[in-house]
Amino acid sequence: MNKRSMRILGFNEIRDMLVREAPSRLSKELAQDIKPYDNENEIARALNDTEEALTCLEREGSVPLGGSGDIRPQLEKAKREVPLDGAECVVLWENVRRYGEIKDFFETKYGDYVQLSEKARAIGDFTQLERRFSGVFDEENRIRDNASAELLRLRGRIAELERRTKRYINTILANKEYQKYFQDTIVTVRNNRSVIPVKQEYRHAFPGIVHDMSASGATLYIEPMALVDANNDLQAARLGETKEVERIFRRLTALVAENYNDLMTSTAAVAHLEFAFTKARLAIRMKAQRPMLSTKRAVKLYGARHPLIPADAVVANTILLGGEYRILLITGSNTGGKTVAMKTLGLLVLMYQSGLFIPVRDGSELPVFGDIFADIGDEQDIAQNLSTFSGHMKQLIYTIMHSTANDLILADEIGSGTDPAEGCALAIAIMEEICKKGAFAMVTTHYNDLKNYAYNTPGVENGHVEFDTETLRPTYKLRIGSAGSSHAFNISERLGMPAPILEKARNLRSRAQDVDIEAVLTKLNDRERQLDEERTELERLLAEAKSHEEWLRREKEKAAAKRQDIIASSRREAADLKRELRLEAERIIRDLKHLSREATEREKSRAIDRARREIQQISLPDVTGENRIPVNSKTLKPGDTVYINSLGALGKVEEIKGKRLTVSARGMTIRVGLAELSAPYPEEVKKERQAEKRAAAASTFRPVRTGRVATEINIIGKTGNEALPEVSRFLDQALAAGFSPVRIIHGKGSGALRKQVHEYLAAQPFVKAYAPDDAQSGGDGVTVVHF
């Protein structure tokens, strides 16, 4: 991309915005160096970085980026074996820690942010280096006492000497003989040595070494002779401490030099990650998004906004190029937005090809351009003796000579600055050459002949910027498909041109040959604007209707869900009621056995069987059977799996007699009508088989069986909480099948489990009696239950 076009279109301002968003010096350098690519793969890679970073910011909330310093000077210094100081070591330590956090973060997010994670993988493992830094510095970036054994010894020595010196000084200050010599009974430090302020007149009376004098000369700062040796020892220890610290820093410097290449690579990787997130933050600020790559080399920018115009002032426009036309000729009033529309296209292309998101709506597309040639603004060059027309021509000649079919050409006021007839003819010739090259172009003009040319030439389309004739102001809306008027008289009137002059100008214009064309254009444009307003209103109404439809759909779903909840609740209540009825019926049957002494055994058995069949025929509301497919009676055969609507469960067909079937389900054999069955779903059959396998593997029932229901259960080794639910299910099945007595094997042990089982049995109304089994069959370890 040529730098002149980038400057004219405002790309430098976008670059400055990026630099301000960048969090570190290195990412600012990358932002400063940003430039458009002309390769699809490079553009896609740069856009992917931005997209992943934007998704990461929206999804993760916070990312461990930013705050890292530029450690390149320290690395170069270490490479030259120049010892680092404490501040430089701390900066390196902070960066190394941050690099580890960044690497760990993206390692866990590889599947979500592939390109960013690949960049993070270039960050080295500096665990050992970080450990060495942590051994030298504490969390407040101070050198630890135990950074080395020698430093620990020296600091201990310094502490002891400081305590000794303090005791000496306190003794001197407390000496009554010296009290009159002191200006103040305080201790201060001069030349790293403890001194006492002494009055000038007593300098010879107080033995010591003078280190300083007050500004007035009235006070001398004297080191007592008794402290000289102690201060010397303390000074020597401090010098030793300084040398030991320098030695520690030299060791750290050597370690940094060993990791020079990895640290440099890691620093660059972090800078590129920060730059990706800088682009993402700019996209958020601009409310921008990623356009699609046009496979048909077409420009489709919907709701395109110029990124450098404030959000409360910018007007969004749709810009279309390609397909039936590759040159868009824009006409309309001055200050109406022609140049802004042209700059918007050029700047958005530059941003897109630099890997930046652009302020457009969904569905926007852009191809990849090899270069952009922009001739916008007054290029008059006094130094080269070039007029406005000459400046424009110079740039257009350069464009024609160097442009190709893959380029975008932006020409403002083509052919202007000279005789209108000659300028118009030259403009048409230039546009024909652009057509012949096949390049994309957006051109602005005020010439009516160019408007006619666009109407009659394939590959060229008219467009105009709107002007509101009622308010006498431009709307800045771009309309493609028709030419516009310059509205020079209206603009002049708004700016305060005297009425007589305007009237004279209108009379002169009315004699021109193309005045009718101007009137027709104005009428057509007003009609087009009216149609657009009507279309916008229809789109708004359609959106409201769709929104209302969506609301109704959600309300319907809520109502359906509520209905299902009510049905499910009713079904649970019905199931509880059925259980209670069954228990009550069994109690009645038991009473009948006792009361009906005069009836024969056969009659009693028939009555009991009839009552049980009636209980089993109690049906429940069908919830899951709704919208199911009925079974096919022609293909149905014994062994097939069916769905029993009344039970809401699967069963297996045992026997078929006309429209009545015998089906086994949940350990029971029941008689149902064909209408009560539905075809099961494959996933239901699969789940049922898996449940049967799990139940078979975990079953505690003993193999002594009659039909499909066990007559005994083994709960040895279980707690009461684990055993009682299984005992309850076992008794329900045995009771429904008509078995009595049944056996519960709980073992002897401590007797606690037996006691819990007996307490449970005592509370059940359908249990007639229970007692330990005989000694040969288990004794106290088995309870026999009679219904």
Side-chain angles (χ1 to χ4, degrees), residues 135-136 143-155 244-245 247-248 251:
V136 173
I143 301 174
R144 298 180 184 273
D145 292 343
N146 60 350
S148 72
E150 179 63 14
L151 185 62
L152 183 62
R153 186 192 68 79
L154 287 169
R155 286 191 171 177
E244 180 60 20
V245 169
R247 191 176 68 84
I248 292 171
R251 289 205 305 266

Side-chain angles (χ1 to χ4, degrees), residues 413-716:
E413 302 294 351
I414 189 170
S416 62
T418 187
D419 178 81
E422 293 181 356
C424 185
L426 192 56
I428 291 174
I430 292 172
M431 290 173 64
E432 286 185 347
E433 180 63 22
I434 294 173
C435 281
K436 191 184 300 181
K437 283 178 174 289
F440 284 65
M442 184 181 285
V443 179
T444 68
T445 187
H446 289 283
Y447 293 151
N448 283 333
D449 287 348
L450 284 181
K451 302 174 188 177
N452 295 332
Y453 170 78
Y455 275 124
N456 297 309
T457 305
V460 184
E461 181 61 273
N462 269 308
H464 72 280
V465 287
E466 281 186 352
F467 186 87
D468 192 331
T469 55
E470 294 181 1
T471 62
L472 301 181
R473 293 182 180 277
T475 66
Y476 306 107
K477 293 293 293 183
L478 175 63
R479 303 291 184 186
I480 297 176
S482 61
S485 173
S486 297
H487 297 283
F489 296 151
N490 292 327
I491 293 173
S492 299
E493 182 180 357
R494 178 170 63 87
L495 295 176
M497 180 64 72
I501 297 176
L502 283 175
E503 186 64 27
K504 180 66 174 179
R506 287 191 174 99
N507 290 334
L508 292 173
R509 182 72 180 99
S510 65
R511 303 172 193 172
Q513 297 178 354
D514 59 351
V515 66
D516 292 336
I517 296 177
E518 287 289 328
V520 170
L521 285 176
T522 301
K523 186 175 181 180
L524 284 174
N525 293 336
D526 289 343
R527 179 58 179 162
E528 182 182 7
R529 183 173 58 191
Q530 182 181 354
L531 289 173
D532 283 344
E533 291 173 354
E534 292 174 356
R535 182 172 65 250
T536 301
E537 179 64 16
L538 288 174
E539 289 176 352
R540 185 186 65 80
L541 293 174
L542 179 61
E544 288 182 358
K546 287 182 177 179
S547 176
H548 187 63
E549 180 184 10
E550 178 65 18
W551 179 82
L552 289 175
R553 183 188 64 78
R554 289 195 300 268
E555 290 299 312
K556 182 180 178 182
E557 289 177 353
K558 290 179 183 178
K562 188 174 182 180
R563 176 175 175 272
Q564 291 296 327
D565 290 341
I566 294 172
I567 292 175
S569 177
S570 300
R571 190 173 187 279
R572 287 192 297 270
E573 293 176 2
D576 293 340
L577 179 61
K578 179 179 177 181
R579 177 183 173 85
E580 292 174 4
L581 288 173
R582 187 175 72 238
L583 297 176
E584 181 66 19
E586 290 295 336
R587 187 188 63 77
I588 294 172
I589 291 170
R590 186 170 66 250
D591 293 343
L592 286 173
K593 286 182 179 181
H594 290 289
L595 296 174
S596 304
R597 301 296 183 186
E598 298 178 359
T600 64
E601 291 296 329
R602 186 174 182 181
E603 289 173 341
K604 289 191 291 183
S605 180
R606 285 179 179 175
I608 292 170
D609 288 342
R610 185 167 56 254
R612 283 186 175 135
R613 284 196 300 271
E614 289 174 355
I615 292 170
Q616 290 178 358
Q617 292 302 319
I618 296 175
S619 62
L620 301 176
D622 178 21
V623 179
T624 55
E626 291 185 355
N627 302 323
R628 283 186 173 270
I629 302 172
V631 295
N632 190 342
S633 58
K634 296 180 181 179
T635 60
L636 192 64
K637 61 184 183 298
D640 287 351
T641 300
V642 293
Y643 181 85
I644 307 167
N645 298 335
S646 59
L647 293 179
L650 299 182
K652 186 168 290 185
V653 177
E654 299 287 345
E655 185 181 8
I656 302 175
K657 288 185 178 180
K659 293 187 178 181
R660 302 291 295 178
L661 297 88
T662 302
V663 181
S664 62
R666 295 180 176 175
M668 299 182 294
T669 301
I670 60 175
R671 296 279 293 172
V672 295
L674 191 63
E676 297 178 54
L677 302 177
S678 300
Y681 296 128
E683 57 269 20
E684 291 177 336
V685 176
K686 183 178 179 181
K687 289 181 180 179
E688 183 75 9
R689 289 174 180 170
Q690 291 174 347
E692 288 177 356
K693 290 180 181 179
R694 288 194 299 269
S699 177
T700 59
F701 298 128
R702 296 293 295 266
V704 180
R705 291 180 177 272
T706 303
R708 290 183 173 271
V709 180
T711 59
E712 69 179 35
I713 181 174
N714 187 341
I715 57 173
I716 293 176

Side-chain angles (χ1 to χ4, degrees), residues 741-746 754 757-758 761-762 767-775 777-787:
V742 294
R743 304 170 76 242
I744 301 175
I745 305 171
H746 44 65
R754 178 178 69 246
V757 170
H758 286 184
L761 293 173
V767 175
K768 177 182 178 182
Y770 59 90
D773 206 348
D774 55 61
S777 301
D780 291 340
V782 179
T783 296
V784 179
V785 183
H786 297 266
F787 299 127

Side-chain angles (χ1 to χ4, degrees), residues 39 85 123 265 296 323 338 437 459 482 542 614 630 632 663 724:
N39 179 277
D85 59 27
I123 300 174
T265 302
K296 297 181 179 180
K338 299 190 300 297
K437 283 178 174 289
S482 61
L542 179 61
E614 289 174 355
N632 190 342
V663 181
L724 291 181

